[in-house]
């Protein structure tokens, strides 16, 4: 589980697009270092998320 302070920070976090890896137009990898927030996150906190655009919505799939 993510601690409450980090969870709150994720609600206002942004993503550095230069650190996002686009595999296909509808599949992207977002490593932990791509997140910008008031809290610090490591790879062990968030890991790398793979998002896919399916039927008009983004989902974490991997």
């Amino acid at each position: 589980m993510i601690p409450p302070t980090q969870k709150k920070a994720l609600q206002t976090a942004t993503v550095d697009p230069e650190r996002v890896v686009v595999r296909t137009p509808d599949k992207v990898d977002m490593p932990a270092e791509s997140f910008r927030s008031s809290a610090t996150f490591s790879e062990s906190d968030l890991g790398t998320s793979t998002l896919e655009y399916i039927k008009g919505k983004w989902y974490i799939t991997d």
Side-chain angles (χ1 to χ4, degrees), residues 24-28 50-61:
T24 66
D26 59 352
K27 187 178 261 191
V28 297
T50 299
L51 284 79
E52 283 190 72
Y53 194 68
I54 303 169
K55 296 184 180 180
K57 295 185 179 181
W58 285 98
Y59 295 93
I60 297 173
T61 58

Side-chain angles (χ1 to χ4, degrees), residues 1-60:
M1 287 298 287
I2 295 175
T5 54
Q6 286 182 327
K7 188 174 182 179
K8 186 168 177 76
L10 280 175
Q11 293 174 344
T12 58
T14 59
V15 175
D16 180 351
E18 292 182 12
R19 295 181 182 259
V20 173
V21 178
V22 179
R23 293 203 277 171
T24 66
D26 59 352
K27 187 178 261 191
V28 297
D29 292 334
M30 295 174 57
E33 62 267 9
S34 69
F35 291 93
R36 301 286 179 236
S37 75
S38 59
T40 301
F41 293 96
S42 68
E43 188 71 28
S44 64
D45 293 326
L46 297 176
T48 296
S49 299
T50 299
L51 284 79
E52 283 190 72
Y53 194 68
I54 303 169
K55 296 184 180 180
K57 295 185 179 181
W58 285 98
Y59 295 93
I60 297 173

